[in-house]
């Protein structure tokens, strides 16, 4: 059996996080459909986070910090 390369610390942390997620939420992977379902859920969380951060950067304030915004631009299109 070929020896597996040592994982980077980031990959090891991700592996541990996924293991805990599957275990704590009682998710069992039995086939490709189960894998696709978990991957779809992960992708939606990642994309939502990336898009929120991009919007925060573009507008100059976070979603929950509207009182301290220093711009005429807003999330709902109103000034």
């Amino acid at each position: 059996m070929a020896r597996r390369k040592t994982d980077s610390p980031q990959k090891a942390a991700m592996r541990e996080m996924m293991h805990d997620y599957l275990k704590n939420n009682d998710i069992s992977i039995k086939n490709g459909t189960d894998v696709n379902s978990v991957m779809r859920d992960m992708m939606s969380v990642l994309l939502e986070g990336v898009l929120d951060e991009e919007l925060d950067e573009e507008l100059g304030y976070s979603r929950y910090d509207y009182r301290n915004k220093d711009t005429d631009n807003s999330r709902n299109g109103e000034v």
Side-chain angles (χ1 to χ4, degrees), residues 4-44:
R4 188 166 65 166
K5 291 182 179 181
T6 305
D7 287 342
S8 68
Q10 294 86 0
K11 190 170 182 179
M14 182 70 73
R15 185 183 311 278
E16 183 66 26
M17 184 176 63
M18 283 304 301
H19 180 268
D20 290 343
Y21 169 77
L22 294 172
K23 183 179 177 183
N24 293 337
N25 292 292
D26 198 27
I27 297 172
S28 62
I29 304 292
K30 297 177 182 158
N31 56 37
T33 303
D34 295 340
V35 172
N36 283 339
S37 177
V38 170
M39 293 296 290
R40 202 175 15 236
D41 291 344
M42 288 173 40
M43 237 1 201
S44 68

Side-chain angles (χ1 to χ4, degrees), residues 44-64 75:
S44 68
V45 169
L46 286 170
L47 288 174
E48 183 179 350
V50 168
L51 291 173
D52 280 344
E53 288 297 319
E54 184 178 5
L55 191 56
D56 291 351
E57 182 69 26
E58 177 68 25
L59 296 177
Y61 65 98
S62 75
R63 168 184 275 170
Y64 306 105
R75 292 175 185 270

